[in-house]
Amino acid sequence: MPPTDEGDSTLLEEDTLLDVQTDFDIPTTLPLLPVRDIVVFPFMVLPLFVGRDSSIQAVNEALAGDRMMFLLAQKDSSIENPAPDELYKTGTVAMVIRMLKLPDGRVKILVQGLSKATVKVFNQREPFYNVDIEKIEEVDEKVSPEDVKGEAMMLNVRKQLEAMINLGKQVAPDILVIAENLNEPGKLADLMAANLGLKVEDAQTVLEITKPRKRLKKVSELLSREIELLSMQQKIQSAAQEE
């Protein structure tokens, strides 16, 4: 059986950003779940398929306690058992909402992102990673009608999302509605980064930016690049059809 991808983005059908409860007390020590091919953001709710023995034990540890885990993306998804330096240092504390055991020995979990944090110490490596973390405190103020620059930034990102959809980008149907109803720059940036199929390194860059408006600016840059690629792809397809 091929290696199981925890967080394989091709398997995700429910990922989105919701206005969910996140005011939990975050422990300073948590079991670690390395994830492949995806970066999990706060407010994100998504299923993950877990197959590595160490990862399943980490899930069981979380379920036996407060149901919280620390999710870190792997730098190289092909590595089956990543060492600490093969994982990014900034990740997301998540709550395991549901767990289902599958016939092939894997488990499927539904997780809800709660808060960003960074690894301070790997204090246990067997039978699974246990880490000391430091929560990243972030103030994401709502944009007021008087904040012309903030309004313009958010409107521009929404327009970019519409442009991508018009160019054929497949996104969940409710993303546009959610984007229209968000008025916090950081949440809008995370919504875009979580749902547009960004490369892991690009999504990780967004995750690590703690200033909400700076994060939204970075997302806008990534969206501009994606729009350019989609436009070029559409032109190439049109030219091929005309030949």
Side-chain angles (χ1 to χ4, degrees), residues 17-20 22 42-43 116 138-145 147 149-155 157-158 177-193 210-217 219:
L17 283 171
L18 303 175
D19 188 14
V20 292
T22 57
F43 302 98
K116 296 179 187 178
E138 183 177 298
V139 178
D140 192 13
E141 296 180 354
K142 294 182 178 181
V143 173
S144 67
D147 185 356
K149 185 175 181 180
E151 286 276 9
M153 287 180 65
M154 298 188 71
L155 178 61
V157 168
R158 294 189 188 105
V177 177
I178 297 173
E180 286 294 334
N181 287 285
L182 287 176
N183 60 353
E184 297 101 328
K187 282 188 179 181
L188 182 59
D190 292 347
L191 174 72
M192 298 295 102
T210 57
K211 294 183 178 179
R213 296 195 184 205
K214 185 177 179 181
R215 189 157 77 246
L216 188 61
K217 181 180 179 182
V219 165

Side-chain angles (χ1 to χ4, degrees), residues 167-236:
L167 287 168
K169 182 72 174 182
Q170 298 295 315
V171 300
D174 58 343
I175 296 303
L176 263 176
V177 177
I178 297 173
E180 286 294 334
N181 287 285
L182 287 176
N183 60 353
E184 297 101 328
K187 282 188 179 181
L188 182 59
D190 292 347
L191 174 72
M192 298 295 102
N195 287 278
L196 295 179
L198 297 177
K199 295 178 180 178
V200 168
E201 52 267 32
D202 288 336
Q204 183 68 31
T205 296
V206 173
L207 183 74
E208 293 177 4
I209 299 174
T210 57
K211 294 183 178 179
R213 296 195 184 205
K214 185 177 179 181
R215 189 157 77 246
L216 188 61
K217 181 180 179 182
K218 178 61 178 179
V219 165
S220 181
E221 293 171 359
L222 292 170
L223 293 179
S224 293
R225 186 181 68 184
E226 184 72 12
I227 289 170
E228 185 177 351
L229 290 172
L230 289 169
S231 298
M232 187 175 298
Q233 184 180 29
Q234 193 175 76
K235 289 178 182 178
I236 292 172

Side-chain angles (χ1 to χ4, degrees), residues 24-27 29-32 58-59 61-63 65-70 93-96 114:
F24 297 94
D25 291 329
I26 305 296
T29 301
L30 285 172
L32 170 67
V59 170
E61 177 74 8
L63 292 174
D66 52 23
R67 307 181 74 88
M68 293 188 201
M69 306 187 73
F70 189 48
V93 177
M95 174 78 72
V96 180
L114 301 178

